[in-house]
Amino acid sequence: QVQLVESGGGSVQTGGSLRLSCASSGDTVSNMGWFRQAPGKGREGVASILIGGGTIDYAASVKGRFTISQDNAKNTVYLQMNSLKPEDTAMYYCAAAPYLRWPSLALFPDEYNYWGQGTQVTVSS
């Protein structure tokens, strides 16, 4: 079992920044990712990182603005979000996968077994 605790959401204006944190505990996982879900929409992969290996994937919509990173000593993954836009408004979830069937599936929610409770990010214009 893996437990995930997110923090760092909030409300900002367009162009602002936020940093989300996800602290994990329990079993070893291979990948951790950030996903988001806006009202009335499906869950979307935002960023993923290979734990200990550094392989990173980003959704096209956030590439160049968001940065995922890890602190292995703290078992924590971060998502630094810069140049935020109103369309980034969503509930953001941290997730962990014991393994991926294929590396190309790193941003697919179905690959992840463990999920945090979510943290709201609201960007106003």
Side-chain angles (χ1 to χ4, degrees), residues 5-125:
V5 179
E6 302 125 329
S7 60
S11 297
V12 296
Q13 293 187 326
T14 297
S17 298
L18 285 172
R19 189 176 81 154
L20 306 183
S21 300
C22 176
S24 67
S25 60
D27 293 340
T28 301
V29 297
S30 69
N31 277 71
M32 290 185 68
W34 287 97
F35 296 79
R36 65 186 182 187
Q37 189 165 16
K41 295 188 177 181
R43 194 162 292 189
E44 172 192 23
V46 174
S48 173
I49 188 165
L50 177 67
I51 298 301
T55 302
I56 288 173
D57 294 273
Y58 293 105
S61 58
V62 306
K63 195 171 291 185
R65 299 188 298 122
F66 290 12
T67 302
I68 189 171
S69 62
Q70 60 184 306
D71 183 335
N72 290 333
K74 296 181 179 180
N75 291 327
T76 299
V77 171
Y78 304 96
L79 185 68
Q80 178 67 44
M81 305 184 293
N82 298 329
S83 302
L84 283 161
K85 305 175 182 180
E87 50 264 44
D88 294 319
T89 295
M91 185 71 77
Y92 282 70
Y93 298 91
C94 174
Y99 66 94
L100 298 180
R101 288 176 293 172
W102 297 104
S104 58
L105 298 178
L107 294 179
F108 281 70
D110 287 351
E111 293 296 305
Y112 292 78
N113 300 76
Y114 303 102
W115 293 84
Q117 78 283 1
T119 185
Q120 178 68 36
V121 171
T122 302
V123 185
S124 58
S125 57

